[in-house]
Amino acid sequence: MNFDQITLSNGLRIIGERIPHFRSVSVGLWVGSGSQYEIPVEAGVSHFIEHMVFKGTKKRSARAIAEEMDAVGGQLNAFTAKECTCFYAKVVDEHLPLAMDVLADLVTAPAFDPGELEKEKGVVLEEIAMSEDTPEDLVHEMLMLAHFGDQPVARPILGNAGRIASYSREELADYWRRLYRPQNAVLALAGNYEWDAVVRMAEELLGGWQARGFEKRGCTTNAVAPTVLVREKDIEQIHICLGFPGLRLGDDRNYELSLFNSVFGGSMSSRLFQKIREERGAAYTVYSYPNAYTDAGMLSIYAGTNPDAAVEVCGMLVDEARKIAREGMTEQEFAMAREQLKASYILGLESTSARMQSIGRRMLLMNETRTETEVIDRVNALKYEDVNALMREILLCDYSIALVGRNAEAVAAKLPR
């Protein structure tokens, strides 16, 4: 399937995937704003702005925003990641004009009301507290710091409580003016729409969006020595994360990485799941997954287990990593994982929301598109030898460690390095 594409005169990129047999359409406004582009004094500002735009615009109150979308049965939401913020809606196709109007209003005309700002600080502070109380989330945040050190990519998207509590309206508005600009944004759609009508609406709603004072800091992530970070918490399990070098976004070998991750720890038939959970019963949850950013990457491994078994489980994680790297996967594992990868990709695109997010994020961060056929062809072209070679390159490297739980310091002192 081909994509509809155009760039408006102000630099806003628009991309759409028309699916005429659907009756729904998903639309998202993507902005290149995230924790990756923040300096320490701006910690959490990208995520805070995401919250604040829903608290009212120049022509809509927070209640009006919610009621207008609810009145047509639409879904409206947003998320902030390391390198992007996305505001999105899903509606019955006839209500696309309303969805685009609301999204344009949110992104280009937030009110940043001082009263709402003070109230929303409490909401974000509770979100930060909730993440601290969720050890599985916390250990992954700590692994980023252990692996990348004090660099923007490793800093929490939520920021820190002290900085959130002190933000002023002027600070949020200044960051918004610098980053929320058409050259730094993408409008993405997937579902049933009429392209010429979409372009006309985009011109009307977003054509006047200008880039006066546009500024976006570059981001460079340097390699650092792997380290160990621990956090003592009086909880029943100890949470373990290992971080190996990964691939950055745009590296074509991410296909090989996805396949070997499926064999190693990304599925129920994976080496880690079968060895540590099924054979040994040493952990309820164990998995691996790759992270890819525009200038860095990491392969993460996670397990949650009893503190008494933590040293043994960590040893098993490392042993399985070294073993599959040295010996390679079997050709049967390779063939099965390739089919899993294709099926996962296809099933993941069964909704307009998933398709919109796929094309929107890729266009924003990489300024390119890939059709479903191109992706499947690339997966079919994967070679057994190339996947095994990449496993050796990654899994024989030094690794970072993060631990959260009771007696974490004592456990860390006994871990294999």
Side-chain angles (χ1 to χ4, degrees):
M1 183 176 291
N2 294 321
F3 302 109
D4 298 311
Q5 295 185 65
I6 193 171
T7 300
L8 301 187
S9 59
N10 63 359
L12 177 68
R13 289 161 288 172
I14 307 175
I15 181 168
E17 182 177 10
R18 185 167 179 264
I19 312 173
H21 57 277
F22 277 27
R23 283 300 314 277
S24 67
V25 60
S26 293
V27 54
L29 251 177
W30 295 76
V31 183
S33 170
S35 54
Q36 176 82 303
Y37 307 112
E38 300 168 355
I39 57 176
V41 74
E42 297 168 339
V45 67
S46 300
H47 174 255
F48 199 2
I49 287 173
E50 177 222 312
H51 275 242
M52 281 302 302
V53 302
F54 285 91
K55 307 311 291 183
T57 69
K58 293 179 180 178
K59 68 177 184 180
R60 287 181 171 92
S61 66
R63 186 180 185 89
I65 293 168
E67 287 182 344
E68 285 189 45
M69 292 302 294
D70 284 350
V72 299
Q75 302 168 7
L76 178 68
N77 213 330
F79 64 84
T80 303
K82 297 284 186 182
E83 298 180 293
C84 62
T85 303
C86 178
F87 302 88
Y88 60 95
K90 183 175 183 178
V91 292
V92 176
D93 50 13
E94 64 190 89
H95 299 302
L96 177 59
L98 173 64
M100 288 183 61
D101 186 21
V102 171
L103 290 176
D105 195 26
L106 292 175
V107 170
T108 66
F112 294 129
D113 178 82
E116 294 291 345
L117 174 67
E118 292 306 313
K119 288 190 291 185
E120 201 62 21
K121 284 180 180 180
V123 174
V124 177
L125 289 173
E126 286 300 319
E127 192 173 356
I128 292 173
M130 184 172 66
S131 70
E132 280 286 329
D133 288 342
T134 310
E136 187 171 346
D137 293 345
L138 179 59
V139 75
H140 289 287
E141 288 283 4
M142 290 171 55
L143 182 66
M144 294 291 290
L145 285 169
H147 193 78
F148 294 113
D150 186 21
Q151 301 188 81
V153 71
R155 295 174 192 145
I157 294 167
L158 300 181
N160 60 74
R163 195 65 191 99
I164 295 300
S166 67
Y167 273 124
S168 67
R169 181 191 186 280
E170 291 70 28
E171 287 174 310
L172 264 64
D174 178 65
Y175 188 86
W176 170 82
R177 281 189 293 267
R178 288 191 288 112
L179 274 292
Y180 278 61
R181 287 297 178 251
Q183 303 102 312
N184 194 35
V186 167
L187 177 68
L189 305 94
N192 191 28
Y193 61 78
E194 200 276 303
W195 179 242
D196 290 340
V198 167
V199 174
R200 286 195 300 271
M201 287 187 288
E203 287 280 11
E204 179 183 347
L205 297 168
L206 296 163
W209 190 19
Q210 294 303 317
R212 291 183 296 273
F214 173 67
E215 176 191 344
K216 182 177 179 180
R217 298 185 184 92
C219 54
T220 301
T221 302
N222 299 309
V224 300
T227 188
V228 180
L229 289 179
V230 301
R231 181 78 64 86
E232 292 286 341
K233 276 191 176 291
D234 190 15
I235 52 180
E236 292 303 312
Q237 280 195 314
I238 195 158
H239 299 263
I240 305 166
C241 262
L242 308 182
F244 288 82
L247 302 176
R248 66 184 61 198
L249 199 65
D251 190 321
D252 200 50
R253 294 177 300 165
N254 274 299
Y255 289 94
E256 280 82 359
L257 179 55
S258 294
L259 193 148
F260 100 58
N261 179 68
S262 179
V263 173
F264 179 54
S267 67
M268 290 181 65
S269 62
S270 69
R271 297 281 188 97
L272 292 181
F273 191 92
Q274 289 296 315
K275 180 71 173 183
I276 296 173
R277 173 171 163 155
E278 298 299 283
E279 292 182 23
R280 302 291 294 273
Y284 176 75
T285 305
V286 57
Y287 56 83
S288 65
Y289 66 95
N291 279 326
Y293 308 102
T294 53
D295 67 333
M298 178 172 64
L299 177 70
S300 302
I301 305 170
Y302 167 83
T305 189
N306 185 293
D308 294 336
V311 174
E312 180 187 11
V313 168
C314 190
M316 286 190 283
L317 294 175
V318 175
D319 288 346
E320 285 303 308
R322 303 308 198 202
K323 180 180 179 181
I324 196 171
R326 288 191 296 264
E327 299 177 2
M329 67 178 67
T330 67
E331 294 200 29
Q332 180 181 359
E333 287 175 319
F334 171 80
M336 184 168 69
R338 186 165 56 186
E339 292 307 308
Q340 288 177 340
L341 193 58
K342 288 189 290 186
S344 176
Y345 172 72
I346 293 169
L347 294 176
L349 295 178
E350 287 291 301
S351 73
T352 58
S353 297
R355 287 179 177 270
M356 180 279 292
Q357 293 199 22
S358 177
I359 62 176
R361 181 173 182 268
R362 193 172 192 92
M363 178 58 71
L364 179 74
L365 298 181
M366 302 173 65
N367 200 34
E368 69 170 38
T369 61
R370 284 201 175 174
T371 66
E372 184 177 318
T373 299
E374 288 172 331
V375 172
I376 295 300
D377 286 348
R378 178 65 179 84
V379 174
N380 282 331
L382 289 172
K383 295 180 180 179
Y384 173 72
E385 297 80 8
D386 293 341
V387 176
N388 280 328
L390 184 61
M391 284 198 303
R392 289 192 295 273
E393 179 182 329
I394 290 176
L395 294 178
L396 294 179
C397 290
D398 291 337
Y399 52 90
S400 303
I401 303 174
L403 296 171
V404 173
R406 192 169 358 108
N407 299 323
E409 291 275 5
V411 170
K414 300 175 184 177
L415 292 182
R417 294 296 294 148

